[in-house]
Amino acid sequence: MFFTYLRRELRRRRKAALVVASGLALGIALVIVVNSVSSGMGKAQDKVLQSLYGLGTDMTVTKAAAAPSANSSERPRFNFDAQDSDSDEEQSSDRVLVQGFQTLATSTVTKVGDQKGVADAVGGLSLQVIKVSGQFTRGQFQQNDDGGGRQGGPGGGGTGQPQGEVQGGGANFDVNNYSVFGTDVTEPALGPLTSSEITSGRTFKTSETDAKVVVVDSAYAKEKKYKVGSTITIKGTKYKTIGIATASSGDAAANLYIPLKQAQTLGDAKNKVTTIYVKATDSQQIDTVKSTIQKNISGTTVTTSADLADTVSGSLSTASSLATNVGKWLSIAVLVAAFLVAGLLTSSAVSRRVREFGTLKALGWRSGRVTRQVVGEAMVNGLLGGALGIALGLAGAYVVTAISPTLQAQLGGGGGGAGGPGGGFGGPGRQAAARTLDVALTAPVSATTVAIAVALAVAGGLIAGAFGGWRASRLRPADALRRVE
């Protein structure tokens, strides 16, 4: 009887039911789209940050670079051997510099790893290599064509030397500036190399702690025409290319990756690192771990992903702010309006059905049964609105994902970035932190979002039913029968 009466009443009042369901659908669809876009913003930001610090890294520990002294010279010097001027042999000279930060002792890595809340810690050394290569060309002496050959000689003035000038000659040198990162091959799960995927060859083996092998970033490999098996010479040491790595997003952490010990040898930084990558035991306790490290290891700077996220600007940050703030409050306003409209329309419908409910009560229906009937109708309207809202919300999220609008993310670089001078979080002194990255926006819909939509649909039905049920429960048969519609 309940469902028969329910079906008949909904069919008889299709327009009113459609208005209630449409209002709820609009609010629920907006909630789904806003939540999905916000989730997409979070994924986009994570993608940007991951390109800097790699997977699994929760924070980095560095030491700010010291201010240059008045007597120190920042200009690297290059020395070339004096060779036979007739030789066309190319000369080259490498200068390897520690990049970005002051170095920390490798013992600091162990000390950081022993702090409470730290699951793992690994060190890395960032280097900048300036390579100058080229050759000198001897000039050619051109004798003056004056018909006399030599001037001076016995009885005449002059020096007795050929007269002429040197033409041509000079030097042709090329400067190649690239970055090298020394990675701890025994800890492959941490460090900036984890933000790249090996697309050719292989990565380091844990046994290659001091091997002369190198993994090359794909963009740099394409520029220099390197491939797996190529030999790369750094400061006179030859390294064999074992893999090509492609950055997941943005720029790679370095052009070349070599074992940490080899980097320490090249940079004359034995037992030194520039960056310590830290993984926390609990992602919810990162701030606590940060405070512990800063307290127990003086002179260091601890930077978390949240610190770097605060420096993200550009359209990604603007869109994220809009989705989080404006979108959230707009969704709440629309939902409140939809719930109120649904409740008022249901209450109004009950007012127009006074004779009907009075008759039912006269026939023996109790107030509770009348109330359940009204609430049942409102619940069906709410569920219909929820189904329609979920469909509209999924369609809106699909459209956003299909269009994939491109957002720009600029990480605050310069001297005072979150990761210290010259680099971002975990970015071993990288200048990439000051570059603009393009990220495609998606709007993934999670099961949680759909569950929220269903809950809102049920809540809308209950609120509308509560309005109407309260009104219906107050009707008395005698009063109802006296009223005329």
Side-chain angles (χ1 to χ4, degrees), residues 223-240:
E223 176 188 347
K224 299 298 181 181
K225 296 182 173 55
Y226 292 142
K227 58 184 179 179
V228 175
S230 299
T231 299
I232 300 176
T233 302
I234 307 174
K235 201 177 180 180
T237 304
K238 294 183 178 180
Y239 293 86
K240 181 181 178 181

Side-chain angles (χ1 to χ4, degrees), residues 269-339:
K270 185 178 180 181
N271 296 326
K272 299 289 185 181
V273 296
T274 51
T275 310
I276 302 174
Y277 298 86
V278 181
K279 181 178 181 180
T281 54
D282 185 357
S283 60
Q284 303 300 318
Q285 300 296 323
I286 290 178
D287 289 338
T288 303
V289 177
K290 173 182 176 179
S291 300
T292 300
I293 295 174
Q294 288 179 324
K295 178 181 177 182
N296 297 334
I297 305 175
S298 61
T300 59
T301 300
V302 182
T303 308
T304 68
S305 56
D307 295 331
L308 187 60
D310 291 338
T311 70
V312 176
S313 59
S315 59
L316 174 61
S317 178
T318 302
S320 180
S321 178
L322 287 173
T324 303
N325 298 320
V326 178
K328 179 180 68 176
W329 290 111
L330 179 61
S331 300
I332 293 174
V334 172
L335 278 174
V336 170
F339 287 171

Side-chain angles (χ1 to χ4, degrees), residues 77-357:
R77 299 180 64 85
F78 298 89
N79 298 317
F80 296 95
D81 296 331
Q83 298 180 352
D84 184 357
S85 298
D86 292 330
S87 173
D88 291 332
E89 182 179 348
E90 183 180 89
Q91 297 190 60
S92 66
S93 178
D94 292 357
R95 182 70 185 270
V96 180
L97 307 172
V98 175
Q99 183 187 15
F101 308 104
Q102 285 193 62
T103 57
L104 297 165
T106 51
S107 59
T108 309
V109 180
T110 305
K111 191 174 180 180
V112 170
D114 292 337
Q115 300 301 308
K116 183 179 179 180
V118 175
D120 201 3
V122 61
L125 182 66
S126 179
L127 302 174
Q128 189 74 16
V129 180
I130 304 174
K131 182 182 181 67
V132 178
S133 58
Q135 62 185 25
F136 295 99
T137 303
R138 183 181 182 182
Q140 299 296 323
F141 179 78
Q142 298 293 330
Q143 184 174 332
N144 290 336
D145 187 13
D146 55 5
R150 295 175 180 267
Q151 295 183 8
T159 62
Q161 299 296 325
Q163 300 298 306
E165 61 181 357
V166 177
Q167 296 181 352
N172 182 18
F173 282 81
D174 177 61
V175 178
N176 183 19
N177 190 351
Y178 58 94
S179 58
V180 178
F181 186 77
T183 182
D184 190 340
V185 299
T186 63
E187 297 282 354
L190 279 178
L193 187 54
T194 60
S195 65
S196 297
E197 178 184 357
I198 300 297
T199 52
S200 180
R202 63 174 178 86
T203 188
F204 299 106
K205 297 178 181 178
T206 55
S207 59
E208 294 175 325
T209 56
D210 201 18
K212 293 180 175 61
V213 291
V214 59
V215 173
V216 186
D217 173 61
S218 58
Y220 190 70
K222 182 178 181 180
E223 176 188 347
K224 299 298 181 181
K225 296 182 173 55
Y226 292 142
K227 58 184 179 179
V228 175
S230 299
T231 299
I232 300 176
T233 302
I234 307 174
K235 201 177 180 180
T237 304
K238 294 183 178 180
Y239 293 86
K240 181 181 178 181
T241 302
I242 59 171
I244 305 296
T246 302
S248 301
S249 65
D251 298 320
N255 300 129
L256 305 176
Y257 303 89
I258 62 176
L260 178 58
K261 286 187 177 180
Q262 283 292 318
Q264 290 170 337
T265 301
L266 288 176
D268 194 22
K270 185 178 180 181
N271 296 326
K272 299 289 185 181
V273 296
T274 51
T275 310
I276 302 174
Y277 298 86
V278 181
K279 181 178 181 180
T281 54
D282 185 357
S283 60
Q284 303 300 318
Q285 300 296 323
I286 290 178
D287 289 338
T288 303
V289 177
K290 173 182 176 179
S291 300
T292 300
I293 295 174
Q294 288 179 324
K295 178 181 177 182
N296 297 334
I297 305 175
S298 61
T300 59
T301 300
V302 182
T303 308
T304 68
S305 56
D307 295 331
L308 187 60
D310 291 338
T311 70
V312 176
S313 59
S315 59
L316 174 61
S317 178
T318 302
S320 180
S321 178
L322 287 173
T324 303
N325 298 320
V326 178
K328 179 180 68 176
W329 290 111
L330 179 61
S331 300
I332 293 174
V334 172
L335 278 174
V336 170
F339 287 171
L340 289 176
V341 169
L344 292 174
L345 288 176
T346 304
S347 180
S348 176
V350 170
S351 298
R352 292 193 298 270
R353 297 165 65 185
V354 169
R355 270 182 78 86
E356 175 188 338
F357 291 138

Side-chain angles (χ1 to χ4, degrees), residues 1-66:
M1 179 65 180
F2 174 81
F3 292 104
T4 301
Y5 193 82
L6 178 66
R7 184 173 61 254
R8 183 179 68 82
E9 289 301 318
L10 289 174
R11 192 182 307 167
R12 191 160 63 96
R13 294 178 172 82
R14 288 192 298 268
K15 291 183 178 180
L18 183 60
V19 170
V20 173
S22 299
L24 292 173
L26 179 61
I28 291 170
L30 188 58
V31 169
I32 292 177
V33 172
V34 169
N35 273 276
S36 300
V37 171
S38 296
S39 178
M41 297 293 178
K43 289 182 180 295
Q45 190 176 72
D46 289 343
K47 192 174 183 181
V48 172
L49 301 182
Q50 178 189 321
S51 70
L52 293 179
Y53 58 79
L55 295 172
T57 304
D58 293 318
M59 64 192 77
T60 59
V61 180
T62 57
K63 189 174 183 180

